[in-house]
Amino acid sequence: MPGRLMGKVALITGATGGIGRATAEMFAREQARLVVTDIAQDTVEELAASLADKGADVLAARLDVSSPENWSEAIELTRRHFGRLDVLVNLAGIVDWPGIEDTAHESWDRVIAVNQTGTWLGMKTAMPLLRASGNASVINTSSVLGLVGSGAAAAYQASKGAVRLLTKTAAVEYATRGVRVNSVHPGVIATPMIQDLLDEQGDQQPDIARTPMRRAGSPAEIAPAMLFLASDESSFVTGTELVVDGGLTAH
């Protein structure tokens, strides 16, 4: 039976993180051809080798998403090797926990550069190749903290709120140009980025305590949302927010 992404080429940023790896593995199983990227060259090459061992057609590329030059190189690599791009998954992100007064200017700039500017640069650089596909999908990763306030993580919340509205305006701009643009909003997910916090606080972690399902999600529970938005099954879905949060934003 053909895979749900057969014939599609997908580029994933932050591919060696928890959600990134789960998404890359699921896309490979569904027969997408892949460009997996991350800022650490050796780690992303290890991921690509692992996927290739399982039969995937995959390239690895080092990509600092805040760098226009890196983006140009990654998209040119994709064009030369595959000749097309059908799916862009903007997953790379970093977190900084302090609130308004305690956030350092340098930390603010770095979070905005990666989470917000990196998402815009990805769309900007990839869009000509995506438009040429005629049936492309962009999936931007926001967060439940791009929807509601937490009283902390000022830079992270600002960046993820920006990704939400950047996604919507891009969806309107490209709605008749062959590119759908949507955002995914994970809740508390047990990824390496927050694992220390989960290990320290467990079920008493405030956001887990506020989650009706009373647990953290797993990266494997986010990857199917990415797959749906990447596939033709979501052909009439653009500009929307797909929230996967165990009910955290339901109240």
Side-chain angles (χ1 to χ4, degrees):
M1 181 176 178
R4 293 161 69 185
L5 299 181
M6 177 175 274
K8 295 185 183 294
V9 175
L11 188 153
I12 303 171
T13 74
T16 67
I19 296 173
R21 184 177 294 269
T23 298
E25 291 172 348
M26 179 164 282
F27 280 22
R29 288 195 297 271
E30 295 295 337
Q31 298 180 277
R33 293 174 288 169
L34 293 172
V35 182
V36 291
T37 76
D38 215 312
I39 197 163
Q41 181 79 38
D42 55 347
T43 309
V44 78
E45 287 179 353
E46 289 171 7
L47 171 61
S50 173
L51 294 171
D53 286 344
K54 298 173 186 175
D57 188 355
V58 56
L59 291 178
R62 181 189 179 278
L63 173 59
D64 174 353
V65 296
S66 68
S67 165
E69 294 78 17
N70 275 198
W71 266 113
S72 295
E73 291 165 3
I75 296 302
E76 178 58 20
L77 176 68
T78 304
R79 187 196 64 77
R80 287 200 316 267
H81 189 84
F82 290 121
R84 63 185 297 138
L85 181 62
D86 306 282
V87 180
L88 171 63
V89 183
N90 280 313
L91 251 168
I94 57 176
V95 66
D96 189 48
W97 295 111
I100 297 294
E101 294 181 61
D102 293 329
T103 297
H105 197 161
E106 296 80 7
S107 297
W108 174 277
D109 286 347
R110 183 59 184 156
V111 171
I112 297 301
V114 172
N115 297 0
Q116 180 176 332
T117 305
T119 298
W120 163 69
L121 279 173
M123 290 195 292
K124 176 182 175 65
T125 313
M127 200 58 78
L129 206 51
L130 291 164
R131 285 192 286 106
S133 163
N135 183 29
S137 173
V138 175
I139 305 162
N140 294 328
T141 308
S142 181
S143 167
V144 292
L145 296 187
L147 299 171
V148 298
S150 70
Y156 183 80
Q157 293 227 211
S159 69
K160 292 303 185 178
V163 167
R164 172 179 175 262
L165 283 182
L166 180 63
T167 297
K168 289 184 178 296
T169 196
V172 174
E173 182 174 355
Y174 292 98
T176 59
R177 302 169 74 183
V179 184
R180 297 179 296 104
V181 189
N182 294 286
S183 56
V184 173
H185 296 250
V188 183
I189 307 299
T191 66
M193 188 166 69
I194 67 165
Q195 193 60 57
D196 289 346
L197 193 62
L198 294 175
D199 290 343
E200 178 184 337
Q201 298 179 345
D203 291 345
Q204 300 308 306
Q205 204 278 335
D207 286 332
I208 291 180
R210 289 195 296 268
T211 298
M213 293 183 75
R214 294 295 189 274
R215 66 175 178 85
S218 73
E221 291 175 301
I222 305 299
M226 302 292 188
L227 175 59
F228 169 68
L229 292 175
S231 75
D232 292 340
E233 295 160 20
S234 58
S235 58
F236 198 54
V237 180
T238 197
T240 197
E241 303 150 353
L242 183 45
V243 180
V244 189
D245 70 349
L248 178 59
T249 56
H251 62 85

